[in-house]
Amino acid sequence: MNNAMTIRPTLTEEVLGEFVALLGPDGVITEPSAVDEYKDPYYIPDDDTFTASAVVVPDNTEQVQGILRIATQYGIPVWPHSQGRNYGYGGPSPRVRGSIQISFRKMNRVLEINEELAYAVVEPGVRWFDLYDAIEAGGYALQVSVPDLGWGSVIGNSLDNGMTYMPYGADFQILNGLEVVLADGTLLRTGMGAIPENKAWHLYKRGLGPALDPLFTQSNLGIVVRAGVWLKRKPEGYSSLFLTLKTDKDLEAGIDAIRELRLEGILEGVPSMYTTLSAAPQLMDTDIQGPALLSEEQIQAIADETGVGRWGTRAALWGPRKIVEYKLERIKEVWGAIPRAKVNHSPIYSPEQYKDFTNSAEQIQAGIPTLQLIEATPPNMGHIGFSPIVPMVGTEVRYVVDQMRKRIEEAGLNFLGGVMSFNERSCCIVGGIPFDVTNKEEAERAFGAVRRLVKEIGELGYGEYRAHIDYMDEAQAIYSFNDNAYRRFVEKIKNAVDPNGIIMPGRHGIWPSSHYAQPEDQGGARTPSPN
């Protein structure tokens, strides 16, 4: 963890003048308290390590191109964010102190909704709420796969592999066909979009030659200013499921059952198995527990009292009514073979009944965005994420969960989160470590616990699927095969397309050579230059 810095970074009048000429006075934010509104609200109190020098707010793609040309001219790094809601991973804060933040909150237009082919085209400031509202206002028989919180950006969330729960949420399939601004201001379209006026741009995930869309996921090679979003038709039948496991020792059997149901094609989307403390707020209108460490007996008591069990799986079924009925019977057969396990399910709903939903689990899996999860969070409670990828095998998941829980509890904090089935064969153990954002000692303890997890769980062979800005270098260092060949390859690309290191230097541990204090590897972690 970096020591707090007290000198606020600033820009010269010359640089500010160029940005004001491009964006107007309302498009450039420099007043310290206003800039601080774009900081990560879940970071350590009074620590200014990741403070920006200014925030610029473009209204269109041409202005984004102009911002990058100015930034390149003066050698100032930029850190774009869509809505800045990536809480638990650094929010909107820049990895390099003194960067200019680019906020896309004004670029919030839904550019197209195509009902026949079931897709939309959006700008980066479009929230899940915005896209949902546009679909409903237009009377389209379509739905979008949404995450737990609807206030984030469709593009921003998706580009950081943020999970959603309906079928296109599996393996992050939602986005297709990107428009990207490169470091020199050049505009690039990926896939079939490379053909002018091509009608399949947002319909086909390849093109001619290497597929480029994945290069801009969790990367710092360009800034996405437009993307296609795959939608689904509202199904004839929809049923929300909650599958419970009575005791903690049933975890292995539950994981194996979900894997087999997924491989059979019975369960789709992203079935998600939650700990008691994470499941109770979603299903029982119970407040999320704070950081104070609870005993095994206390957790079991909450599990029994609420009925959510020690592990509760949120899932859903979509499709023709008869298919939903068949799948439900198969799930009861498989899940019922686990002792004391229960299958709870809603009726089979038709689309006209969605408007009556009040439970957030039913809403989210029907493509209706909510804020219930944040509304159930106690005041001043923040969290930091640690989320390794693990094979979808019960014994493997048990081993990693136990290793994570042991270290988190040794820090005096509760293990929250769950096991998200990203696909049929692998899962992500999403650990949300809670702390009081007003308590510096507790915050530092939480960040210290995660740094320990990154290192020690990494040494066991498990790496994160995304990382907080505070430990991106350490998380990337775990991917160390053949002297960190992956990182060295991506950094060659970075140096070629962004030789001045302007766009998000250091994001997920990828640095341009111009930012290194020294070129040699230091055990996998890299030391950026203070310049």
Side-chain angles (χ1 to χ4, degrees), residues 96-312:
V96 172
R97 191 171 182 273
S99 297
I100 296 171
Q101 291 177 273
I102 304 175
S103 170
F104 285 115
R105 292 184 183 179
K106 285 185 179 179
M107 290 181 63
N108 59 357
R109 290 167 282 262
V110 177
L111 302 172
E112 179 185 356
I113 297 177
N114 186 309
E115 185 167 38
E116 183 179 24
L117 293 168
Y119 74 91
V121 182
V122 302
E123 293 182 324
V126 171
R127 304 171 304 160
W128 301 99
F129 282 122
D130 300 326
L131 181 53
Y132 170 79
D133 289 345
I135 292 169
E136 292 298 301
Y140 301 105
L142 300 170
Q143 56 189 176
V144 58
S145 183
V146 302
D148 287 294
L149 294 171
W151 62 1
S153 156
V154 177
I155 289 180
N157 177 277
S158 302
L159 287 179
D160 210 21
N161 290 342
M163 75 188 78
T164 64
Y165 297 96
M166 294 171 67
Y168 285 145
D171 272 337
F172 319 108
Q173 301 171 68
I174 286 177
L175 295 188
N176 187 65
L178 310 178
E179 185 169 84
V180 185
V181 179
L182 303 179
D184 63 359
T186 299
L187 200 61
L188 166 74
R189 287 184 173 179
T190 64
M192 304 307 293
I195 301 173
E197 306 303 324
N198 182 267
K199 295 180 181 180
W201 180 18
H202 303 299
L203 312 179
Y204 177 62
K205 285 187 176 288
R206 301 291 185 269
L208 180 65
L212 298 184
D213 285 40
L215 271 179
F216 299 103
T217 299
Q218 289 196 351
S219 87
N220 52 11
L221 302 178
I223 298 176
V224 176
V225 292
R226 177 185 301 200
V229 181
W230 280 5
L231 308 174
K232 280 277 192 181
R233 302 215 185 284
K234 289 180 179 176
E236 177 192 12
Y238 157 63
S239 181
S240 175
L241 308 176
F242 192 67
L243 316 175
T244 66
L245 299 172
K246 172 71 173 177
T247 67
D248 185 57
K249 68 181 181 181
D250 297 321
L251 172 63
E252 295 96 318
I255 292 295
D256 291 339
I258 291 173
R259 180 192 66 239
E260 292 308 307
L261 287 168
R262 293 221 59 192
L263 286 169
E264 281 186 38
I266 300 298
L267 278 178
E268 296 181 281
V270 181
S272 302
M273 183 181 290
Y274 297 96
T275 65
T276 301
L277 301 183
S278 297
Q282 299 183 52
L283 276 297
M284 305 302 296
D285 195 28
T286 302
D287 288 343
I288 294 174
Q289 298 294 313
L293 182 61
L294 299 180
S295 67
E296 176 74 13
E297 293 74 21
Q298 288 174 308
I299 295 174
Q300 188 65 54
I302 295 171
D304 295 338
E305 180 182 343
T306 61
V308 301
R310 286 303 299 270
W311 293 92

Side-chain angles (χ1 to χ4, degrees), residues 307-329:
V308 301
R310 286 303 299 270
W311 293 92
T313 298
R314 191 179 78 185
L317 300 172
W318 307 269
R321 179 173 288 269
K322 289 185 178 180
I323 291 179
V324 172
E325 290 172 349
Y326 168 77
K327 287 184 174 183
L328 185 56
E329 290 306 310

Side-chain angles (χ1 to χ4, degrees), residues 435-455:
F435 62 92
D436 184 342
V437 297
T438 66
N439 185 324
K440 186 170 185 177
E441 183 277 330
E442 192 167 88
E444 289 178 337
R445 188 153 32 98
F447 275 78
V450 173
R451 283 184 170 275
R452 180 186 176 193
L453 288 167
V454 170
K455 181 177 185 296

